[in-house]
Amino acid sequence: MSYPRVGAADFPGVEGEVLAYWAADDTFRASVAGEPEFVFYDGPPFANGLPHYGHLLTGYVKDLVPRYRTMRGARVERRFGWDTHGLPAELEAQRVLGLKTKAEILELGIEKFNAVCRERVLRYADEWRAYVTRQARWVDFDNDYKTLNPEYMESVIWAFKTLYDKGLVYEGLRVLPYCWNDETPLSNHELRMDDDVYQPRQDPSVTVAVELETGERLLAWTTTPWTLPSNLAMAVGPELDYVVAATPAGPAILAAARAQAYGCTEILRSLKGAELIGKRYTPLFDFFADTPNAFQIIAADHVTTDDGTGVVHLAPAYGEEDQLACAAAGIPTILTVDDGARFTAVVPPYQGLHVFEANRPIIRDLEASGALVREDSYVHSYPHCWRCRNPLIYKAVSSWFVEVTAIRDRMVELNEEITWTPEHIKHGQFGKWLSNARDWSISRNRFWGSPIPVWRSDDPAYPRIDVYGSIADLERDFGVEVTDLHRPYVDRLTRPNPDDPTGRSTMRRVPDVLDVWFDSGSMSFAQVHYPFENTDWFDSHFPGDFIVEYIGQTRGWFYTLHVLSTALFDRPAFKSCLSHGIVLGSDGQKMAKSLRNYPDVSEVFDRDGADAMRWFLMSSPILRGGNLIVTEAGIREGVRQVLIPLWNAWSFFALSANAAGRQARRDTRSPDLLDRYLLARLRLLVADVQEKLDRYDIASACDAVTAYVDVLTNWYIRRSRGRFGQGDPAAIDTLYTALETLCRVVAPLLPLISEHIWRGLTGERSVHLTDWPTVDDLPDDAELVARMEQTRAVCSVASSLRKAAGVRARQPLLKLTVATSADLRELTGLIAAEVNVREVVLTSVDAAGAPVSQRLTINARAAGPRLGKAVQAAIKASKTGAWSLSDGVVVAGGIELAEGEYTLEATPAADRASSGLLPGGGFVVLDTTVTPELAAEGTARDVVRAIQQARRDAGLEVADRVRVTIQGDAAVLAAVSAHRELIGRETSADDISTREGPELRVQLTS
């Protein structure tokens, strides 16, 4: 067989052909085979929007790891999942319907509203499928799961009931982050997922004074003046220092550390906070004057003197710590605002005002009463709703909780069984979050979601609670077929209270739905409808082997998976987790359509290809936990560094093999030094990439591939062109072996281009149906690799010396001296050819008369403990040259140094600009003198290059013979005359004629 004619690289066109082939061949389905099974969890995206760069990045990893594991022999199912519930879907429905509030939703009707949620939530499914397919991600859309499916929801309510039965679910009135726009609480972890949840906000801050029963005025500070009508206590730190200071309004008490900030310079006496505890004061407002135990000073651990007065005002309905401190003192929680954060009739002067609108009138009233001491403007980092972006408040709400604190220690223990990439997340961002985890609010006062499966008697005189964990149990007790667990259908399931002998009370479901994160956290078992189906499969395939999402999911999906898995199964939900950084726009800011600060994905696919985007993302620091700025230049750099060189190597192979009429075969037995090196280096690549992908260090695996592609194209092929031009079978077979193996190595990293090249090489079905390369199939010669790497380093340094001296690469030079401890005797011919010198002289680093000097540097940190003060004498001697080296022993200032206490470097002598250091020790010296004879040969090589370019422009094959007419000045014609044989041999020219002219020109005839 002959190999395809390989034209210029058109990666998008090639990718289109490969995608069409996969679709026709059903390659993905064929790849899902093998044993054992590698369990991959595909974290479900919200289904109410189009994919973005974050999905693109995560999707590439979700494709790469299963492809690699498949090649390693595992079976990897890849079910796509859709997260369909919660506020994202509801806000979209509200936008479509033009609704602003929950009241308007209730007026429309929950059934109609949820029907729109259902209709809208998957309208992007086709676009998602096209996008994911174009990025070359293999995933099963036909067997997907959706959190809105009855089977999934049944598993979710099973989880709730199981937690309830274990005593890990409770209902309570707790202060939580609360979105007044969406009229629902949030979980604490939702505030910590993304940095932009907290945004700078300017609020009024006030200092107020309350009169103590002992006559002093106690100064307290707050940044939420709207909570002052709800003030029920003041808090101090028992161990903090306070002072009684003289003020124009009378004696005032505040923290000693804050007295100067308030201009309190006359201190009457000092006291500890403990002396204030229990003292009572006159309320700022009289709305709740009769509240038991209220209006006293209590102790609290959260009081600081960083700002304010060191006295904290407490409104137990609007602060988590306020509520805990007040509850300990027997002070009740009293609400003053409604679900929309507007004041109710319990505070008549402000009734109907939104809390943020009420700040100004409240401050005016405090000023009028003489309680206002100071008003300032305060800029602070303030939480906003992660969906509607409105500022949140903290508000006491009745909610259902998972008692995370009861299993927190076990969650920390089970985290030890998880392998995290990057590793620092284990005990860092995730571990620290676990160790401080709070109880999880899992109920939402909303409409579209899995139901809280709790039914309660509507008559407190006959209390009863029923919790359901299956559709079968619901059908048994309510006597109807249950086909939909959504509201309002599930709300209609009512029955008489069995505990009420009068028969008048009714069991009714609590109206809340579950936090959407409870849905997501149930994914591991709910996707397979456990425990109602697939129990054997789940028991043997749990925990999952691998998951991946961005760093914020340490407080989101990773966290909720871990909570539910610990609580339900006493096991981690996943064995390995890759947590990547955040994709940023080209300006370093978060990506935003309004800013137009990122390249359009479709345009990148159409111009550079999906593999180019994949390489850019997979090889970046983002997979090591850092953030990544997406730029078109960055994407194209990957094309330049890897894709084009790989394509050119394939093109060169096909051209050479076809010209030689050779059907290449896999062969690793070539005795040629370069062949042996390429294959031994390939063995190291296979082992290196395998080790890195095994531990999900994808970026480092890409680095290893980049280095090998450079070896292949910029060293092996360039130094072997003569052999390929002669049709050397060993060279062709070696390059075939390297390319075929390399395609298998990069198949997970560059699935489209590797598929095209591998099928062109082998004529077989798919590289993705092959096994991962085996290192034992490749020669093991680490010593040769080390010598060749040193050879390449020599050539690199010598080339830089040429450039510094202004001597072009085609100009031959006389001599290169190489001083190194490596044995490069076999490789001097390669060095001479690469550096273009007539002679390579090898010598030792410390040879007499070497045109370099050596520099001694003392490592004071290493030598100091042993030498003590004498280390300073050694350092001085190293700088003044009063040191010696004999038989490998270094003596500085009469002090013999031990290994590790110094470094010895060879540095070029100041008058030899043609000298350069080698990495790891040694040096090279390049003689840059150009004789007339050398200059003529350089000109001849310029002529060769001009002819080769003319051949390429004419579209000639390697084997095509030509006749050449060369025009040039006297120096060019003389060089051609002297090196006619060289020119003919290098350019396949049978006849060379010349004519005089002002500039070099080449004319070809076949």
Side-chain angles (χ1 to χ4, degrees):
M1 101 179 202
S2 62
Y3 295 96
R5 181 183 175 88
V6 182
D10 173 16
F11 296 126
V14 166
E15 292 179 354
E17 294 173 4
V18 172
L19 292 171
Y21 170 75
W22 283 348
D25 180 66
D26 205 8
T27 319
F28 169 40
R29 195 176 305 276
S31 76
V32 182
E35 287 291 340
E37 185 162 357
F38 180 87
V39 180
F40 162 67
Y41 291 160
D42 184 3
F46 283 115
N48 70 323
L50 289 173
H52 53 65
Y53 268 91
H55 296 119
L56 183 75
L57 166 64
T58 309
Y60 278 135
V61 181
K62 291 176 178 180
D63 183 71
L64 187 157
V65 171
R67 282 186 190 272
Y68 169 68
R69 291 293 174 177
T70 297
M71 296 183 75
R72 294 293 305 278
R75 176 185 181 89
V76 190
E77 298 278 357
R78 278 155 273 182
R79 295 182 67 196
F80 201 80
W82 299 101
D83 216 343
T84 58
H85 285 149
L87 276 175
E90 289 199 33
L91 293 177
E92 171 70 5
Q94 285 184 227
R95 184 189 65 79
V96 170
L97 294 168
L99 306 177
K100 300 295 184 183
T101 66
K102 285 173 64 175
E104 291 174 333
I105 294 172
L106 291 170
E107 183 179 353
L108 172 71
I110 296 174
E111 185 170 1
K112 292 181 180 178
F113 179 75
N114 277 0
V116 175
C117 288
R118 181 187 294 273
E119 182 272 325
R120 298 293 294 181
V121 79
L122 290 173
R123 71 192 185 284
Y124 296 114
D126 289 342
E127 289 93 335
W128 267 89
R129 188 166 191 155
Y131 174 99
V132 169
T133 299
R134 179 63 188 91
Q135 76 171 115
R137 179 181 169 194
W138 277 352
V139 63
D140 188 350
F141 279 100
D142 297 327
N143 187 36
D144 61 5
Y145 68 87
K146 302 178 181 69
T147 59
L148 58 75
N149 289 342
E151 297 82 8
Y152 194 101
M153 295 174 70
E154 185 175 26
S155 293
V156 169
I157 65 170
W158 166 83
F160 181 96
K161 176 172 172 52
T162 302
L163 295 179
Y164 183 87
D165 291 344
K166 288 186 173 189
L168 293 174
V169 167
Y170 67 91
E171 185 181 23
L173 182 69
R174 294 273 299 278
V175 175
L176 296 168
Y178 183 83
C179 180
W180 46 267
N181 180 69
D182 303 328
E183 299 185 25
T184 190
L186 284 76
S187 304
N188 281 296
H189 69 257
E190 291 179 278
L191 270 60
R192 298 293 178 180
M193 286 185 59
D194 293 307
D195 292 341
D196 62 352
V197 166
Y198 279 82
Q199 299 176 18
R201 176 178 168 84
Q202 186 169 0
D203 280 314
S205 67
V206 296
T207 302
V208 296
V210 294
E211 185 174 343
L212 296 180
E213 57 189 352
T214 51
E216 301 94 345
R217 285 158 50 94
L218 183 73
L219 306 188
W221 178 77
T222 182
T223 59
T224 54
W226 66 267
T227 63
L228 288 170
S230 308
N231 170 261
L232 296 178
M234 297 292 182
V236 297
E239 300 302 320
L240 296 179
D241 293 318
Y242 290 82
V243 295
V244 180
T247 72
I253 298 176
L254 74 168
R258 300 299 298 162
Q260 186 174 358
Y262 277 83
C264 297
T265 57
E266 185 180 350
I267 306 302
L268 302 178
R269 65 187 179 92
S270 300
L271 67 162
K272 286 288 187 182
E275 298 177 52
L276 295 169
I277 294 170
K279 293 185 181 296
R280 297 194 172 272
Y281 63 88
T282 302
L284 289 166
F285 298 89
D286 59 4
F287 304 127
F288 310 110
D290 297 330
T291 303
N293 302 315
F295 310 114
Q296 62 171 306
I297 301 175
I298 63 177
D301 294 334
H302 66 282
V303 179
T304 71
T305 57
D306 296 338
D307 44 26
T309 65
V311 180
V312 175
H313 128 77
L314 301 180
Y318 305 109
E320 293 179 273
E321 293 165 321
D322 301 33
Q323 187 186 41
L324 291 173
C326 286
I331 301 172
T333 297
I334 300 176
L335 282 164
T336 57
V337 303
D338 62 16
D339 291 345
R342 296 185 178 276
F343 279 100
T344 64
V346 298
V347 283
Y350 314 118
Q351 183 177 358
L353 287 178
H354 189 277
V355 293
F356 296 133
E357 299 171 348
N359 278 328
R360 182 49 47 198
I362 289 172
I363 293 171
R364 282 200 303 266
D365 290 347
L366 289 168
E367 185 175 19
S369 69
L372 183 67
V373 175
R374 178 189 291 184
E375 178 186 358
D376 297 295
S377 182
Y378 186 73
V379 178
H380 54 155
S381 181
Y382 194 85
H384 290 64
C385 179
W386 65 293
R387 282 300 167 189
C388 71
R389 298 303 178 184
N390 280 295
L392 301 172
I393 63 173
Y394 280 82
K395 176 176 178 285
V397 294
S398 178
S399 180
W400 290 84
F401 294 85
V402 174
E403 193 177 2
V404 175
T405 50
I407 59 170
R408 181 167 55 200
D409 291 346
R410 184 58 177 156
M411 290 167 61
V412 171
E413 291 174 359
L414 291 176
N415 183 37
E416 295 301 313
E417 299 180 17
I418 301 172
T419 299
W420 285 90
T421 303
E423 187 178 4
H424 64 78
I425 292 175
K426 181 173 193 168
H427 297 124
Q429 187 154 326
F430 191 69
K432 290 178 181 177
W433 179 256
L434 291 183
S435 63
N436 294 289
R438 307 181 197 178
D439 290 352
W440 173 16
S441 168
I442 56 170
S443 58
R444 298 292 179 265
N445 312 124
R446 298 297 302 187
F447 308 100
W448 177 244
S450 297
I452 298 280
V454 176
W455 274 253
R456 175 185 285 137
S457 170
D458 62 4
D459 186 348
Y462 299 98
R464 179 186 173 98
I465 288 180
D466 294 327
V467 180
Y468 292 89
S470 72
I471 290 175
D473 287 347
L474 288 170
E475 291 179 340
R476 179 199 64 211
D477 281 5
F478 292 96
V480 296
E481 183 181 7
V482 177
T483 59
D484 193 341
L485 289 171
H486 289 99
R487 302 184 70 186
Y489 313 109
V490 71
D491 298 339
R492 295 170 184 163
L493 299 178
T494 61
R495 66 174 181 137
N497 179 359
D499 293 342
D500 179 3
T502 69
R504 289 193 294 269
S505 65
T506 301
M507 301 298 295
R508 301 183 188 278
R509 193 187 75 84
V510 300
D512 296 348
V513 295
L514 283 164
D515 175 14
V516 67
W517 290 104
F518 198 96
D519 274 2
S520 300
S522 301
M523 172 266 170
S524 61
F525 54 89
Q527 66 165 334
V528 293
H529 196 208
Y530 178 89
F532 308 99
E533 296 181 78
N534 303 305
T535 54
D536 290 341
W537 183 92
F538 181 77
D539 291 341
S540 62
H541 291 77
F542 182 82
D545 290 297
F546 176 73
I547 61 174
V548 55
E549 290 293 341
Y550 86 110
I551 188 72
Q553 296 294 359
T554 52
R555 281 86 183 271
W557 189 49
F558 301 157
Y559 173 66
T560 57
L561 279 172
H562 195 62
V563 170
L564 292 183
S565 181
T566 301
L568 294 171
F569 308 111
D570 194 33
R571 301 177 72 183
F574 45 90
K575 297 175 184 177
S576 298
C577 178
L578 192 157
S579 182
H580 61 74
I582 300 171
V583 184
L584 302 175
S586 56
D587 55 1
Q589 301 182 57
K590 188 172 182 178
M591 287 186 173
K593 291 181 180 178
S594 60
L595 297 176
R596 298 182 180 179
N597 62 345
Y598 59 92
D600 180 83
V601 173
S602 297
E603 290 180 6
V604 173
F605 284 169
D606 291 343
R607 183 189 63 237
D608 302 313
D611 272 3
M613 175 63 80
R614 179 187 292 239
W615 187 266
F616 169 70
L617 294 173
M618 296 300 93
S619 63
S620 74
I622 199 166
L623 295 185
R624 297 186 177 105
N627 295 341
L628 175 67
I629 295 175
V630 174
T631 63
E632 293 186 15
I635 296 166
R636 290 171 182 168
E637 180 64 12
V639 174
R640 185 190 67 80
Q641 280 192 340
V642 178
L643 272 73
I644 288 178
L646 184 60
W647 184 266
N648 288 344
W650 156 233
S651 175
F652 178 79
F653 165 81
L655 190 67
S656 301
N658 287 339
R662 180 165 181 80
Q663 176 64 50
R665 60 188 177 88
R666 185 176 184 83
D667 193 345
T668 61
R669 298 168 299 173
S670 172
D672 182 84
L673 205 63
L674 275 171
D675 291 350
R676 286 165 46 207
Y677 163 68
L678 183 69
L679 297 178
R681 184 69 174 72
L682 182 61
R683 177 190 177 102
L684 296 178
L685 173 73
V686 171
D688 192 23
V689 173
Q690 179 175 316
E691 185 271 335
K692 288 178 168 60
L693 292 184
D694 280 348
R695 56 185 174 88
Y696 308 110
D697 187 359
I698 295 170
S700 293
C702 291
D703 291 343
V705 169
T706 300
Y708 186 79
V709 169
D710 182 62
V711 166
L712 176 67
T713 58
N714 289 330
W715 183 251
Y716 175 78
I717 289 178
R718 192 173 71 251
R719 294 274 42 91
S720 304
R721 282 188 179 274
R723 295 172 61 212
F724 283 102
Q726 297 166 10
D728 185 338
I732 292 172
D733 288 348
T734 297
L735 182 53
Y736 170 87
T737 303
L739 279 174
E740 190 277 333
T741 305
L742 180 59
C743 282
R744 284 189 281 155
V745 171
V746 303
L749 304 169
L750 297 169
L752 294 161
I753 302 306
S754 65
E755 178 77 299
H756 177 83
I757 295 174
W758 189 87
R759 294 188 68 239
L761 281 167
T762 67
E764 297 181 22
R765 184 176 179 184
S766 173
V767 70
H768 302 289
L769 301 180
T770 62
D771 292 334
W772 183 257
T774 304
V775 293
D776 292 341
D777 292 341
L778 296 164
D780 184 5
D781 197 339
E783 187 272 336
L784 172 60
V785 171
R787 286 191 292 128
M788 192 67 77
E789 295 299 304
Q790 183 71 349
T791 298
R792 294 181 66 216
V794 166
C795 295
S796 176
V797 173
S799 296
S800 67
L801 294 177
R802 271 183 171 274
K803 185 175 181 180
V807 181
R808 66 191 190 283
R810 288 186 298 277
Q811 174 60 62
L813 294 174
L814 191 62
K815 184 173 69 172
L816 176 72
T817 301
V818 180
T820 176
S821 58
D823 182 3
L824 304 184
R825 286 173 295 178
E826 273 191 297
L827 300 164
T828 55
L830 273 176
I831 296 171
E834 176 67 13
V835 181
N836 195 10
V837 295
R838 295 279 179 83
E839 181 185 14
V840 174
V841 177
L842 299 178
T843 185
S844 62
V845 175
D846 55 357
V852 296
S853 61
Q854 290 188 316
R855 181 174 62 199
L856 176 68
T857 304
I858 307 297
N859 184 344
R861 180 169 295 187
R866 185 178 72 86
L867 300 181
K869 293 181 179 179
V871 73
Q872 294 301 324
I875 292 174
K876 182 178 180 181
S878 71
K879 293 179 177 179
T880 60
W883 62 274
S884 63
L885 170 64
S886 178
D887 296 327
V889 177
V890 175
V891 177
I895 302 167
E896 184 176 322
L897 300 176
E899 186 177 351
E901 294 178 347
Y902 66 90
T903 56
L904 197 59
E905 298 176 279
T907 59
D911 60 343
R912 295 300 299 265
S914 56
S915 300
L917 294 174
L918 291 171
F923 58 87
V924 299
V925 180
L926 181 66
D927 185 346
T928 55
T929 303
V930 179
T931 65
E933 179 189 0
L934 291 173
E937 184 178 341
T939 301
R941 292 189 180 277
D942 291 338
V943 170
V944 168
R945 183 179 184 279
I947 296 172
Q948 299 290 39
Q949 184 60 53
R951 289 179 63 94
R952 283 191 290 271
D953 293 344
L956 298 178
E957 300 288 353
V958 173
D960 292 341
R961 309 296 296 182
V962 295
R963 287 180 293 180
V964 182
T965 300
I966 301 168
Q967 172 186 293
D969 59 19
V972 169
L973 299 185
V976 172
S977 176
H979 297 282
R980 188 178 298 270
E981 182 181 347
L982 167 68
I983 296 171
R985 183 177 67 250
E986 293 288 331
T987 64
S988 299
D990 292 330
D991 180 65
I992 300 173
S993 59
T994 60
R995 66 169 179 259
E996 191 171 349
E999 58 184 12
L1000 175 62
R1001 287 188 178 180
V1002 171
Q1003 181 178 349
L1004 302 181
T1005 55
S1006 56

